[in-house]
Amino acid sequence: MNFVLNVIWFLFVGLWLAIGYAVAGLIMFVLIVTIPFGIASFRIAGFVLWPFGRTIVAQHDAGTPSFIGNVLWFVLAGVWIAIGHVVTGVGLCLTIIGIPFGWANIKLALVALAPLGKEIVPSGSPRALPRAYA
């Protein structure tokens, strides 16, 4: 089922989103300071091409630079990209066929808010499971 959803997503949504994130990544590579944001944009571009069957997990050892970068990202771009994903996701959820694609857009909105310090893993991976904290 993931394959079918990914193919439909790729044809109608994924390719255009990936191109947008890749262009944003290239623009961010122009300035040396924004290279981490460009890398995050390229990672998201790869994720939006084929999102079903994969998930995002936080890297708990990312540290303070990722936190500071996420604050800057949130203020400069993240909130606007996330709003776009939420609006698109709600619109897609209005039809029964669009619900999985709307849900994928909501997942992307969460990633767009703070992409640094996150890792893309297969959904069945042990790292994708919630961790118990002591």
Side-chain angles (χ1 to χ4, degrees):
M1 183 56 110
N2 283 338
F3 179 76
V4 173
L5 290 172
N6 276 324
V7 168
I8 295 170
W9 172 269
F10 177 80
L11 293 175
F12 292 106
V13 181
L15 181 62
W16 304 111
L17 279 175
I19 290 170
Y21 277 111
V23 167
L26 288 174
I27 291 170
M28 291 179 193
F29 266 81
V30 171
L31 299 172
I32 302 299
V33 177
T34 57
I35 287 177
F37 300 142
I39 294 169
S41 289
F42 286 130
R43 242 183 318 123
I44 296 170
F47 182 62
V48 300
L49 279 174
W50 212 252
F52 295 98
R54 298 192 297 170
T55 190
I56 303 287
V57 294
Q59 294 176 333
H60 297 289
D61 58 350
T64 305
S66 288
F67 175 76
I68 293 169
N70 278 328
V71 170
L72 290 172
W73 173 275
F74 178 83
V75 171
L76 298 175
V79 71
W80 304 110
I81 296 170
I83 288 170
H85 281 300
V86 167
V87 169
T88 304
V90 168
L92 286 167
C93 285
L94 293 176
T95 65
I96 293 174
I97 295 171
I99 290 173
F101 306 114
W103 183 247
N105 259 303
I106 300 299
K107 276 184 10 181
L108 288 170
L110 295 173
V111 174
L113 284 174
L116 301 175
K118 303 258 184 349
E119 184 179 9
I120 300 166
V121 297
S123 295
S125 170
R127 293 187 318 207
L129 300 174
R131 295 184 185 177
Y133 295 99

